[in-house]
Amino acid sequence: MPPEGIELTRVPAHVGVVMDGNGRWARRRGLPRTEGHGAGEEALFDTVEGALDIGIRWLTVYAFSTENWKRPADEVRYLMRFNESLLLRRRDELNDRGVRIRFAGRRDWRVPRRLVRRMDEALDLTAKNKTMTLTIAFNYGGRAEIVDAVRQLIADRTPANRVDERAIRRHLYVPDMPDPDLVIRTSGEYRISNFLLWELAYSELVFTDVLWPDFRRTDLFDAVREYQRRERRYGAVDT
Ligand code: IPE
Ligand code: IPE
Ligand code: MG
């Protein structure tokens, strides 16, 4: 049974999520910020289940931005370890559910080697899965992604007249990923914060006050209902 009011034939193919508000969730409970990140795990996995329930094919979650290195060293270290252990803890379950795990972002020297190894293991383990692709945007910045694509085009000696939107798209971190139809941001912030800048040109944006650790599949379903009420025009007029 689909959730009330969702048309399964018009479910967004790709949903992006800016998982924000972990720090505030923790502060409201008098806990250290890192406890909020830990509590975000349940939110993420319930959202994955919800996405599977309604047949979303692509889910992309913003886990760590190129700007998040500015945070206190303790918090950054916690986030690196947390993501490493999360991959280890959850990869079999995701694999069993037919989820293909991918990563978008820069693998620079700041990302611990152990985490890179876990990322590669998760990629390999789930590479053949077909039910849904979960892309984890990690050390990801939308501007960095565009810069990296342009660098690659130049390194390939692409002639200027061959640099077009298709050429740039082919050099994005996940070239076969469709643009997100719907992007959700939690915690009452109304900004993009460098998430998927190229890809979200025509995405529908839904903002919610729910803090990420409190987000559940029912909140995902609410966002999908909101999405289904929108009219997408892509710059054209209705005929
Ligand atoms: C989002 O929650 C998680 C990351 C950015 C890694 P925050 O840590 O940004 O939480 P707030 O915005 O401070 O509440
Ligand atoms: C965006 O949240 C990044 C992630 C959710 C990983 P931030 O909390 O870093 O964004 P700002 O600083 O509020 O714009
Ligand atoms: Mg934040």
Side-chain angles (χ1 to χ4, degrees):
M1 272 278 284
E4 178 89 29
I6 290 184
E7 286 181 50
L8 290 183
T9 52
R10 293 199 307 122
V11 164
H14 181 186
V15 176
V17 187
V18 180
M19 308 183 290
D20 198 14
N22 299 351
R24 278 162 283 168
W25 182 92
R27 198 179 55 212
R28 282 179 201 174
R29 286 166 176 72
L31 299 167
R33 292 178 54 81
T34 49
E35 293 285 321
H37 300 313
E41 178 170 343
E42 198 179 333
L44 176 59
F45 286 86
D46 203 66
T47 301
V48 167
E49 287 298 330
L52 290 165
D53 286 347
I54 60 172
I56 290 169
R57 301 300 306 272
W58 299 77
L59 180 67
T60 300
V61 297
Y62 205 4
F64 193 87
S65 78
T66 48
E67 287 71 51
N68 288 148
W69 298 106
K70 295 180 202 160
R71 295 186 176 203
D74 280 356
E75 182 172 347
V76 169
R77 210 174 306 121
Y78 176 92
L79 285 166
M80 296 300 142
R81 295 222 181 100
F82 173 65
N83 280 283
E84 185 195 326
S85 65
L86 180 140
L87 287 173
L88 197 59
R89 225 178 8 261
R90 298 286 192 157
R91 64 187 182 191
D92 290 325
E93 166 189 340
L94 289 170
N95 192 36
D96 291 344
R97 304 288 277 119
V99 175
R100 175 172 67 167
I101 304 172
R102 295 247 185 111
F103 298 91
R106 276 190 180 157
R107 291 185 165 204
D108 60 32
W109 56 272
R110 293 173 296 186
V111 183
R113 296 292 295 275
R114 282 203 335 223
L115 174 53
V116 171
R117 211 175 309 134
R118 295 285 172 250
M119 289 163 121
D120 284 334
E121 288 166 4
L123 269 171
D124 291 344
L125 177 72
T126 63
K128 296 207 170 68
N129 291 340
K130 297 230 153 44
T131 309
M132 183 175 84
T133 301
L134 172 66
T135 304
I136 302 174
F138 194 88
N139 193 18
Y140 175 88
R143 289 183 173 177
E145 180 175 34
I146 296 168
V147 168
D148 288 350
V150 172
R151 281 186 185 163
Q152 198 56 53
L153 288 166
I154 293 170
D156 297 345
R157 298 178 184 279
T158 313
N161 63 357
R162 292 284 188 83
V163 178
D164 54 13
E165 292 186 11
R166 268 180 49 196
I168 290 180
R169 180 178 297 279
R170 272 202 306 276
H171 290 84
L172 297 176
Y173 294 135
V174 188
D176 58 339
M177 181 174 90
D179 288 343
D181 301 291
L182 166 64
V183 172
I184 302 166
R185 182 168 186 150
T186 59
S187 85
E189 304 291 3
Y190 299 88
R191 57 178 170 263
I192 296 303
S193 301
N194 210 7
F195 187 51
L196 302 179
L197 292 186
W198 178 275
E199 297 86 337
L200 56 68
Y202 274 98
S203 303
E204 296 297 330
L205 308 178
V206 170
F207 297 95
T208 166
D209 288 338
V210 175
L211 301 175
W212 177 249
D214 291 327
F215 195 89
R216 291 295 178 271
R217 72 185 84 185
T218 49
D219 300 294
L220 172 70
F221 299 156
D222 285 345
V224 168
R225 281 185 202 99
E226 167 71 29
Y227 166 84
Q228 292 188 335
R229 285 194 291 270
R230 305 268 180 98
E231 186 192 345
R232 303 183 78 186
R233 284 190 293 270
Y234 302 96
V237 289
D238 277 331
T239 48

